[in-house]
Amino acid sequence: MNRQVTILAIETSCDETAAAVIRGGRTIISNVVASQIDEHRRYGGIVPEVASRQHILTIDAVLHEALRPLPSGWNDIHAVAATYGPGLAGALMTGLNVAKAIAWIRELPFVGVNHIEAHIYANWLLTDAQPEAPAPQFPVVALVVSGGHTLLALLEGHGRYRLLGQTRDDAAGEAFDKVARLLGLGFPGGPAIQRAAEGAPGGVVLPRAWLRDSYDFSFSGLKTAVLHQIRDYQAREAALQPGTGKSAGKRGVGAPSTPPEATATPHLPPTVVARLARAFQESVVDVLVTKTVEAARAFGAAEILLAGGVAANLRLREELNRRAPVPVRVPPVALCTDNAAMIGAAAFYRFDAGIQHGWDLDVQPNLALDG
Ligand code: KG4
Ligand code: ZN
């Protein structure tokens, strides 16, 4: 393993334009992330066309910033890497094509990286807080929870994955974002729900979709349960208003007539929002932690690795640490959400195993973990 190999990595799979320089797979020389969140906030979610355009406008400046700490600039780079999937096709295309162009012009090896695998490899990166941390020990069980993905995987070695389970509907982060919208909490929903839930009283308990004998997850029923709680609350309130009680807030038995994601419900009192935010967060955390702990026991994991944007959630970290039978590793928040440092880490171990890609590598918006 060549610890001096220095990789320039690019990430543009969703709404962050990012570039990083990583040495030996673990040392961060630079890590630059330009978030587009303000561009998307006004739409209440990510607009693919806006994302692609922003990547094109931003990538040049982000790259130059990432190269700045290198004494010999481009000459210090040994390989170029970029995410090729999963993600938004137009967004992925920007970073992948820029990376291939750089590699071609500078006659450098090129490595395509799987975004989900890279989230897991954020756990290999050294940080100022723990500059000497040993690398994770295999076998590891990894829980990847992001805006687009929720899965449990067993890693028996570099590049040796077994997918244990994944979400059958919404990703955990997507559920946070949709429920935040229902509660009128804005975007992105994860941090907003975490804030609203802080110090909220208990009392409301929402269902958990256990999907027995499976490591799969499901969060869409939970989202609907929140919607029903909101409608029940509104119906009770309306019943107290003379003259409006009979019709307001009524719903039929079964599925609501409008899809939950289409329904924003502002004007709920902060106490109701806080209780529901807490109940929702507790339900998600309980299912994620229970399944991860079961998998770690069943497969004799030496460590549990947490990854993805939802790994920033403090209750998830706290509960996993409390219940895990083996050490839990979680990257710092800035390395949990999308960044290029994790792409550089994943690329290093692939490159070290002799993997390189040709110019024909295309974007794969639906790339699987073992794809
Ligand atoms: O990994 P990521 O940056 O992007 C994807 O690849 O999807 O994850 C973004 C997701 C969003 O859904 C956001 O709401 C969620 O991570 N998130 C959180 C928290 N911070 C970000 N979810 C729960 N609690 C948080 N503190
Ligand atoms: Zn991600």
Side-chain angles (χ1 to χ4, degrees):
M1 183 179 296
N2 188 342
R3 297 190 188 285
Q4 292 311 307
V5 167
T6 304
I7 296 182
L8 170 67
I10 297 175
E11 152 65 35
T12 61
S13 68
C14 191
D15 63 335
E16 263 94 22
T17 315
V21 175
I22 302 299
R23 184 160 293 148
R26 302 197 65 204
T27 303
I28 301 175
I29 309 289
S30 65
N31 182 27
V32 182
V33 181
S35 174
Q36 308 174 354
I37 204 83
D38 291 336
E39 313 294 327
H40 298 282
R41 190 172 279 124
R42 76 187 78 161
Y43 306 107
I46 292 157
V47 182
E49 195 59 41
V50 174
S52 309
R53 185 174 289 248
Q54 277 304 120
H55 288 312
I56 291 169
L57 293 174
T58 319
I59 189 81
D60 196 40
V62 167
L63 270 172
H64 279 96
E65 186 67 27
L67 287 164
R68 202 195 290 262
L70 296 175
S72 306
W74 291 107
N75 294 327
D76 290 331
I77 301 292
H78 302 121
V80 184
T83 312
Y84 70 104
L88 303 169
L92 287 164
M93 235 177 265
T94 312
L96 185 64
N97 284 338
V98 167
K100 284 197 282 193
I102 292 170
W104 184 64
I105 286 176
R106 302 211 62 90
E107 299 183 11
L108 292 169
F110 168 70
V111 185
V113 172
N114 180 316
H115 181 87
I116 307 174
E117 177 179 321
H119 268 301
I120 299 173
Y121 272 87
N123 284 287
W124 266 258
L125 292 166
L126 294 169
T127 59
D128 289 344
Q130 285 181 305
E132 307 286 331
Q137 295 299 304
F138 296 111
V140 303
V141 159
L143 173 68
V144 184
V145 270
S146 74
H149 307 278
T150 295
L151 56 87
L152 256 180
L154 175 70
L155 275 81
E156 290 168 310
H158 290 298
R160 286 170 52 212
Y161 293 95
R162 199 157 127 201
L163 184 63
L164 302 177
Q166 60 190 325
T167 184
R168 294 185 186 173
D169 39 59
D170 293 344
E174 190 180 357
F176 268 95
D177 293 336
K178 287 177 175 173
V179 167
R181 192 185 302 188
L182 288 177
L183 295 174
L185 284 173
F187 175 83
I193 287 195
Q194 180 177 302
R195 268 195 306 277
E198 260 166 39
V204 181
V205 178
L206 293 172
R208 279 106 166 108
W210 290 116
L211 311 176
R212 295 278 171 205
D213 300 323
S214 161
Y215 289 113
D216 280 354
F217 302 95
S218 167
F219 297 109
S220 75
L222 179 57
K223 179 185 64 192
T224 308
V226 172
L227 183 67
H228 286 177
Q229 290 274 339
I230 293 170
R231 293 201 172 161
D232 287 348
Y233 170 82
Q234 289 171 329
R236 279 197 305 275
E237 284 299 293
L240 294 175
Q241 310 286 321
T244 58
K246 291 214 172 75
S247 57
K250 276 219 165 160
R251 63 176 161 82
V253 177
S257 54
T258 38
E261 53 269 41
T263 324
T265 42
H267 312 309
L268 287 170
T271 48
V272 174
V273 170
R275 272 178 206 269
L276 288 176
R278 176 185 162 145
F280 166 79
Q281 181 173 258
E282 290 305 309
S283 175
V284 173
V285 167
D286 192 14
V287 175
L288 290 175
V289 170
T290 302
K291 298 215 172 200
T292 306
V293 167
E294 273 173 19
R297 287 214 171 89
F299 295 95
E303 291 189 35
I304 292 172
L305 307 184
L306 195 52
V310 183
N313 187 272
L314 295 175
R315 274 295 292 142
L316 177 59
R317 290 165 174 241
E318 186 178 71
E319 207 49 24
L320 191 55
N321 270 303
R322 195 175 69 75
R323 286 162 55 183
V326 293
V328 177
R329 225 182 257 250
V330 193
V333 172
L335 297 176
C336 285
T337 48
D338 287 351
N339 64 86
M342 67 185 195
I343 307 298
F348 173 82
Y349 292 98
R350 291 270 154 166
F351 186 61
D352 197 55
I355 294 170
Q356 292 181 31
H357 291 103
W359 308 132
D360 57 345
L361 183 74
D362 200 359
V363 298
Q364 291 189 34
N366 299 316
L367 184 64
L369 179 61
D370 43 8

